Amino acid sequence: MKVSIGGPLKLAFRPWVEGLENIPAEGPAILASNHLSFSDSFFLPAVLDRKVTFIAKAEYFTTPGVKGRLTAAFFKGVGQLPVDRSGARGAGEAAIRSGIDVLERGELFGIYPEGTRSPDGRLYRGKPGGLARVALASGAPVIPVAMIDTEKIQPPGKVMPKLMRPGIRIGKPLDFGRYQGMEHDRFVLRALTDEVMYEIMQLSGQEYVDMYATAAKRQIAEAAKAEKEAEKAARAALAKADQDQADKEKSES
């Protein structure tokens, strides 16, 4: 990854980085980042000397066809962890266990607390289950990370990226030792997650939205569907009006 992709990626896009000194030279740590683009999982590992292991949705490993096999080979090659998101409870437990395993090996574990990419570039509410439980179970420090402008390089649905400089801001490690042993307290999980999201917001400068990104995507999809249906109804009404006018003129003639 770092040799075959990371080098050319840095050469072509020249990402700027602030706070690189906040990444420990060794030992476990959790990198909690905002999520603007598919390319986030490429740019962040590319600028670090250490390997970062992210959780990746299982579809990246099971998609059929040549493209699917190449994608699966890439994600396996860089050591990413497939997690089946179809069963919420089982997927969540698998993700937590996978993250703890990575940290127990003394490695860096990357996670997107929002759970999915932002649909509009704003920062959405963090999901408390994964990040907070992994942090409390492992005792590893949480390092907030802000990806800057990656959504402009490769917006959702776009295959070819646009050449421009993205940015990465890395905050100071957060220690949540005061919550040790309280990983089953939902108020603690919420407080820890909100504290991390606040730090990400400070680093990224994004507008914060107090709702989950998945809910926002659903609202956007429903609004787009309603708009499409309204346009269809308007076209039908216009066509009927034209037909009525034509029938009237024919009758008068």
Side-chain angles (χ1 to χ4, degrees):
M1 164 66 178
K2 293 184 182 300
V3 175
S4 64
I5 296 179
L9 200 69
K10 288 192 289 185
L11 185 63
F13 292 92
R14 299 181 298 115
W16 55 266
V17 188
E18 295 177 1
L20 203 56
E21 67 279 3
N22 293 321
I23 301 293
E26 58 182 22
I30 301 169
L31 303 184
S33 173
N34 59 341
H35 198 13
L36 297 173
S37 168
F38 175 77
S39 60
D40 293 337
S41 298
F42 292 84
F43 282 113
L44 181 56
V47 300
L48 302 180
D49 292 332
R50 299 181 61 185
K51 174 185 174 182
V52 184
T53 299
F54 283 94
I55 287 176
K57 60 183 180 181
E59 291 86 340
Y60 287 145
F61 297 82
T62 58
T63 304
V66 175
K67 181 181 178 181
R69 289 195 295 271
L70 290 173
T71 301
F74 171 78
F75 278 98
K76 289 177 183 176
V78 296
Q80 304 308 282
L81 305 171
V83 173
D84 182 3
R85 303 188 300 181
S86 59
R89 182 67 179 175
E93 293 300 327
I96 291 166
R97 185 64 254 173
S98 298
I100 293 171
D101 289 344
V102 170
L103 294 166
E104 286 179 346
R105 296 196 299 267
E107 301 174 3
L108 298 178
F109 176 64
I111 188 169
Y112 300 114
E114 292 168 280
T116 186
R117 281 174 284 180
S118 170
D120 54 14
R122 296 185 293 176
L123 184 68
Y124 284 84
R125 196 180 195 201
K127 294 188 174 182
L131 168 63
R133 287 183 61 188
V134 170
L136 295 179
S138 66
V142 179
I143 302 175
V145 176
M147 307 301 296
I148 312 292
D149 290 338
T150 52
E151 82 282 9
K152 298 175 183 177
I153 292 174
Q154 190 178 27
K158 297 292 184 181
V159 177
M160 294 302 296
K162 178 183 178 182
L163 281 176
M164 60 177 293
R165 293 190 74 186
I168 302 172
R169 287 197 183 99
I170 303 170
K172 294 182 178 180
L174 304 174
D175 180 10
F176 293 105
R178 64 188 183 277
Y179 294 136
Q180 207 65 41
M182 304 172 70
E183 58 266 24
H184 299 296
D185 187 322
R186 62 189 181 94
F187 295 106
V188 168
L189 299 182
R190 181 76 266 162
L192 187 156
T193 305
D194 287 345
E195 184 174 338
V196 174
M197 297 309 295
Y198 177 79
E199 293 299 325
I200 294 174
M201 180 186 70
Q202 293 291 97
L203 291 169
S204 68
Q206 291 171 279
E207 176 187 348
Y208 179 75
V209 184
D210 193 20
M211 68 183 297
Y212 293 123
T214 48
K217 285 184 175 181
R218 188 162 54 248
Q219 287 184 1
I220 291 171
E222 290 172 355
K225 182 179 179 182
E227 183 179 356
K228 187 175 180 180
E229 290 176 350
E231 290 177 353
K232 183 179 178 182
R235 288 196 298 269
L238 183 60
K240 186 177 184 304
D242 290 342
Q243 185 61 49
D244 289 345
Q245 181 64 27
D247 292 342
K248 180 180 179 181
E249 291 175 356
K250 182 178 179 181
S251 176
E252 290 175 349
S253 175

Short mmCIF file of all heavy atoms in Angstrom, two decimals, residues 9 23 28 41 67 84 86 97 134 139-140 149 157 165 201 225 228 240:
data_model
loop_
_atom_site.label_atom_id
_atom_site.label_comp_id
_atom_site.label_asym_id
_atom_site.label_seq_id
_atom_site.Cartn_x
_atom_site.Cartn_y
_atom_site.Cartn_z
N LEU A 9 0.32 8.44 -4.64
CA LEU A 9 -0.80 9.24 -4.14
C LEU A 9 -0.30 10.56 -3.56
O LEU A 9 -0.85 11.63 -3.85
CB LEU A 9 -1.56 8.44 -3.07
CG LEU A 9 -2.99 8.86 -2.75
CD1 LEU A 9 -3.90 8.55 -3.93
CD2 LEU A 9 -3.49 8.14 -1.51
N ILE A 23 0.87 11.20 16.52
CA ILE A 23 0.78 9.75 16.30
C ILE A 23 1.94 9.08 17.03
O ILE A 23 3.10 9.40 16.75
CB ILE A 23 0.84 9.41 14.80
CG1 ILE A 23 -0.29 10.10 14.04
CG2 ILE A 23 0.78 7.90 14.60
CD1 ILE A 23 -1.67 9.61 14.39
N PRO A 28 -0.46 0.82 20.89
CA PRO A 28 -1.82 0.91 20.35
C PRO A 28 -2.41 2.32 20.44
O PRO A 28 -2.10 3.07 21.37
CB PRO A 28 -2.61 -0.06 21.23
CG PRO A 28 -1.89 -0.02 22.55
CD PRO A 28 -0.43 0.12 22.19
N SER A 41 -9.71 6.45 3.39
CA SER A 41 -8.98 5.26 3.84
C SER A 41 -7.67 5.05 3.07
O SER A 41 -6.91 4.13 3.38
CB SER A 41 -9.86 4.01 3.68
OG SER A 41 -11.01 4.12 4.50
N LYS A 67 -13.95 -6.63 -11.17
CA LYS A 67 -13.74 -5.47 -10.29
C LYS A 67 -13.88 -5.88 -8.83
O LYS A 67 -13.10 -5.44 -7.98
CB LYS A 67 -14.75 -4.38 -10.63
CG LYS A 67 -14.60 -3.13 -9.78
CD LYS A 67 -15.63 -2.08 -10.13
CE LYS A 67 -15.49 -0.85 -9.23
NZ LYS A 67 -16.52 0.18 -9.55
N ASP A 84 -19.72 -7.77 8.38
CA ASP A 84 -21.05 -7.89 7.80
C ASP A 84 -21.99 -6.96 8.54
O ASP A 84 -22.23 -7.12 9.74
CB ASP A 84 -21.54 -9.34 7.91
CG ASP A 84 -22.91 -9.53 7.26
OD1 ASP A 84 -23.43 -8.57 6.68
OD2 ASP A 84 -23.43 -10.66 7.35
N SER A 86 -25.21 -6.53 7.81
CA SER A 86 -26.62 -6.90 7.62
C SER A 86 -27.32 -7.18 8.94
O SER A 86 -28.50 -6.91 9.10
CB SER A 86 -26.72 -8.13 6.71
OG SER A 86 -26.02 -9.22 7.26
N ARG A 97 -14.84 -6.56 18.56
CA ARG A 97 -13.84 -7.60 18.83
C ARG A 97 -12.63 -7.45 17.90
O ARG A 97 -11.48 -7.60 18.33
CB ARG A 97 -14.48 -8.98 18.64
CG ARG A 97 -13.60 -10.17 19.01
CD ARG A 97 -13.28 -10.18 20.48
NE ARG A 97 -11.89 -9.78 20.73
CZ ARG A 97 -11.38 -9.56 21.91
NH1 ARG A 97 -12.14 -9.65 22.99
NH2 ARG A 97 -10.11 -9.21 22.07
N VAL A 134 -14.69 0.08 22.17
CA VAL A 134 -13.31 -0.34 21.87
C VAL A 134 -12.32 0.44 22.72
O VAL A 134 -11.36 -0.12 23.26
CB VAL A 134 -13.01 -0.17 20.36
CG1 VAL A 134 -11.52 -0.38 20.09
CG2 VAL A 134 -13.82 -1.15 19.53
N GLY A 139 -8.39 0.41 26.56
CA GLY A 139 -7.62 1.42 27.29
C GLY A 139 -6.71 2.23 26.39
O GLY A 139 -5.91 3.04 26.88
N ALA A 140 -6.82 2.05 25.08
CA ALA A 140 -5.97 2.78 24.13
C ALA A 140 -6.41 4.23 24.01
O ALA A 140 -7.60 4.54 24.11
CB ALA A 140 -6.02 2.10 22.77
N ASP A 149 -11.44 18.35 2.67
CA ASP A 149 -11.66 18.48 1.22
C ASP A 149 -11.58 17.17 0.42
O ASP A 149 -11.54 17.20 -0.80
CB ASP A 149 -10.66 19.47 0.60
CG ASP A 149 -10.95 20.91 1.02
OD1 ASP A 149 -12.10 21.18 1.40
OD2 ASP A 149 -10.02 21.73 0.97
N GLY A 157 -20.05 8.33 -5.70
CA GLY A 157 -20.52 7.97 -7.04
C GLY A 157 -19.56 8.29 -8.15
O GLY A 157 -19.72 7.83 -9.28
N ARG A 165 -5.34 19.38 -3.59
CA ARG A 165 -4.67 19.02 -2.33
C ARG A 165 -5.68 18.82 -1.20
O ARG A 165 -6.37 19.77 -0.81
CB ARG A 165 -3.69 20.11 -1.92
CG ARG A 165 -2.49 20.27 -2.83
CD ARG A 165 -1.47 21.20 -2.19
NE ARG A 165 -0.76 20.54 -1.09
CZ ARG A 165 0.10 21.16 -0.29
NH1 ARG A 165 0.33 22.45 -0.45
NH2 ARG A 165 0.72 20.50 0.67
N MET A 201 -14.80 18.11 15.17
CA MET A 201 -15.42 19.33 14.65
C MET A 201 -14.47 20.52 14.75
O MET A 201 -14.37 21.33 13.81
CB MET A 201 -16.71 19.62 15.42
CG MET A 201 -17.44 20.87 14.96
SD MET A 201 -18.85 21.30 16.01
CE MET A 201 -18.00 21.85 17.50
N LYS A 225 -36.79 11.28 -4.02
CA LYS A 225 -37.87 10.47 -4.58
C LYS A 225 -39.16 11.29 -4.70
O LYS A 225 -39.85 11.23 -5.72
CB LYS A 225 -38.12 9.26 -3.68
CG LYS A 225 -39.19 8.32 -4.19
CD LYS A 225 -39.38 7.12 -3.26
CE LYS A 225 -40.49 6.20 -3.77
NZ LYS A 225 -40.71 5.06 -2.83
N LYS A 228 -38.83 13.70 -7.56
CA LYS A 228 -38.96 12.99 -8.83
C LYS A 228 -40.42 12.69 -9.14
O LYS A 228 -40.89 12.85 -10.28
CB LYS A 228 -38.14 11.70 -8.79
CG LYS A 228 -38.07 10.98 -10.12
CD LYS A 228 -37.15 9.77 -10.01
CE LYS A 228 -37.06 9.04 -11.35
NZ LYS A 228 -36.16 7.85 -11.25
N LYS A 240 -51.63 16.28 -20.15
CA LYS A 240 -53.09 16.18 -20.19
C LYS A 240 -53.71 17.51 -20.63
O LYS A 240 -54.67 17.54 -21.41
CB LYS A 240 -53.63 15.79 -18.82
CG LYS A 240 -55.15 15.51 -18.79
CD LYS A 240 -55.59 15.07 -17.43
CE LYS A 240 -57.08 14.72 -17.45
NZ LYS A 240 -57.92 15.83 -17.93
#
